Amino acid sequence: MSEQNNQNKNNGKGQQTQDLNQLLKVRREKFANLQEAGKDPFVITKYDQSYHAAEAKAEYETLEAKLLVGKDMPDTEGMEPEEAKAVKTEAYNERRAIMDANPIKVSIAGRMMSKRVMGKASFCNVQDKSGNIQVFVSRDELGTDEYADFKKLDVGDIIGVTGYVFRTMMGEISVHADTVTLLTKSLQILPEKFHGLTNTDIRYRQRYVDLIMNPDVKDTFIKRSQIISCIRRFLDEQGFMEVETPMLVANPGGAAARPFETHFNALDEDLKLRISLELYLKRLIVGGLERVYEIGRVFRNEGVDTRHNPEFTLMELYQAYTDYHGMMDLTENMYRHIAEEVLGTTTITYNGVEMDLGKPFERITMVDAVKKYANVDWNEVADTEAAKALAKEHHIEFEDFHKKGDILNLFFETYVEEHLIQPTFVMDHPIEISPLTKKKPENPEYVERFEFFMNGWEMANAYSELNDPIDQRERFAAQDALAEAGDDEAEHTDEDFLNALEVGMPPTGGIGYGIDRLVMIMTDSPAIRDVLLFPTLKSEKK
């Protein structure tokens, strides 16, 4: 770019900044004038809101259907323009008279998103949590002074409107305003209406503006809330009890992850943020609660990408007297139920790819999956050395401390995961990567565990829970050895949990679900940041 073009570009940015600063100055001056006139909106403490926009529209349409039977707008095709206009106007006035004789009086409140001033009459658009509704404002109805106040309002201001509902000649259901009250003065400028807020960094940092400007974003988070509510109802009906467990712990366990560390001043002790919900929930199974679940934030000191955020929402549930097959059945039923209730269909589309939750989910062992997609028969791999040699042959990187089962998992991650688009349970993992899971009685090299996949993503992880305290101590010891060898994601021996197992835990099935990935799949959202209201971001100073 030439020096002159650079100069022009910089001048353009400087002019934009100057214009913005002037607009902000004008808004503050308007606010100061309101205060001087005794009309400070920030002294208002409440407003009686009788309807939301969607409710007002729906009630009006219902009344129309009841009162305007046989009063449809006439077909004017083939008429001369003036004749057609006269016929339509007569029919509109007849319909309007019937509706005005049975007025729906409303009091709405929301943010003014647009305004068109046309002399003695104006239109504005008010947005609330349910959507938008047009408002017709006339000087004759409001009065001269009140109408003058209305004309001074800015896009972004929050207003209250009383009036009655009607349909315009153009067919738009609107509110004919009797009063307009400024409830909050917006001192900032919203993004330009037709381009919206598209800068992703600003969208994530200023989610409040993102929700105002982008209806699709608001819909995503409404669906997120509906999904979580649906899960709760489903589990409650299955006899599960929702509980809460500690976030600050001395020994985080239940997952292979590096924790965040903090210091508790009152006790002068170092603590960590939980990485999982597992070990405390299983203590409750020991205590006899039998069916428990928790939906809560967990924290893992790891990188950020489209599917990972250092704090995320996890749901774990545990059910006594069942196994991982019981968890598969529960998962399949729950996913299908969520899709039907929240989306109204069991066929969902993510990034253009259809996934069918209505069909029985595929169930395949990890060994069979590797044989299917990598053409490697793991049953023929003799030991760890043979596994490492095979990994080198396939250019799969591994660590010195990895064993045969670890390398099987690396083959799975490399060759299989991307193919698991339709709902699939991958079962029977190697014992090396499953320190909290029961061994398969017929083959102790593997455990009764499954991971649930959709769209090539791991969506859930489940076990027939290990309830043998002696075996569990040995597994913890192996994890301690890995930690000493440099694995900063290894678990550590938890003596209190071992004590709980020694008290006695019944045969139990358990599972953990990543709620954020579930919401991504159900809302066709490209990144985890799009389903977290306030995702973790680098400081703006950096």
Side-chain angles (χ1 to χ4, degrees), residues 288-404:
L289 296 186
E290 291 194 4
R291 297 189 183 199
V292 294
Y293 74 95
E294 180 175 7
I295 300 174
R297 283 294 175 99
V298 297
F299 310 87
R300 297 181 183 179
N301 201 346
E302 59 190 13
V304 175
D305 60 30
T306 57
R307 283 185 282 160
H308 294 87
N309 194 71
E311 56 173 312
F312 62 96
T313 303
L314 182 65
M315 182 182 78
E316 292 195 31
L317 62 87
Y318 293 86
Q319 178 179 342
Y321 310 113
T322 190
D323 62 2
Y324 72 144
H325 291 289
M327 294 296 99
M328 286 187 227
D329 294 340
L330 183 147
T331 299
E332 185 166 341
N333 292 335
M334 186 177 74
Y335 263 70
R336 192 171 292 134
H337 176 76
I338 293 168
E340 288 175 337
E341 182 165 309
V342 178
L343 306 180
T345 178
T346 57
T347 301
I348 61 176
T349 301
Y350 185 84
N351 195 27
V353 178
E354 281 194 358
M355 287 164 275
D356 190 353
L357 294 168
K359 297 178 180 178
F361 296 1
E362 182 182 1
R363 303 186 182 196
I364 188 171
T365 67
M366 183 177 282
V367 168
D368 287 344
V370 168
K371 185 175 182 179
K372 178 178 179 180
Y373 294 104
N375 198 27
V376 172
D377 188 347
W378 207 256
N379 292 319
E380 296 179 356
V381 179
D383 53 26
T384 295
E385 292 307 312
K388 289 182 176 180
L390 197 59
K392 290 177 182 178
E393 181 182 329
H394 286 77
H395 308 290
I396 294 177
E397 296 183 3
F398 57 87
E399 302 291 342
D400 289 341
F401 56 79
H402 279 159
K403 297 180 180 178
K404 177 183 173 182

Side-chain angles (χ1 to χ4, degrees), residues 104-167:
I104 299 174
K105 296 184 177 181
V106 299
S107 174
I108 64 169
R111 191 177 301 275
M112 190 168 70
M113 299 302 293
S114 65
K115 184 178 73 168
R116 289 179 290 136
V117 176
M118 302 178 295
K120 296 180 181 180
S122 301
F123 287 94
C124 68
N125 187 280
V126 175
Q127 176 177 291
D128 61 25
K129 74 171 187 176
S130 71
N132 294 271
I133 193 165
Q134 181 173 263
V135 176
F136 173 73
V137 184
S138 73
R139 187 182 68 181
D140 293 342
E141 193 71 41
L142 258 65
T144 303
D145 292 341
E146 289 78 6
Y147 188 66
D149 288 342
F150 168 79
K151 292 199 293 183
K152 294 175 185 176
L153 297 178
D154 292 305
V155 170
D157 288 347
I158 297 174
I159 61 174
V161 177
T162 64
Y164 64 91
V165 187
F166 74 107
R167 190 184 289 274

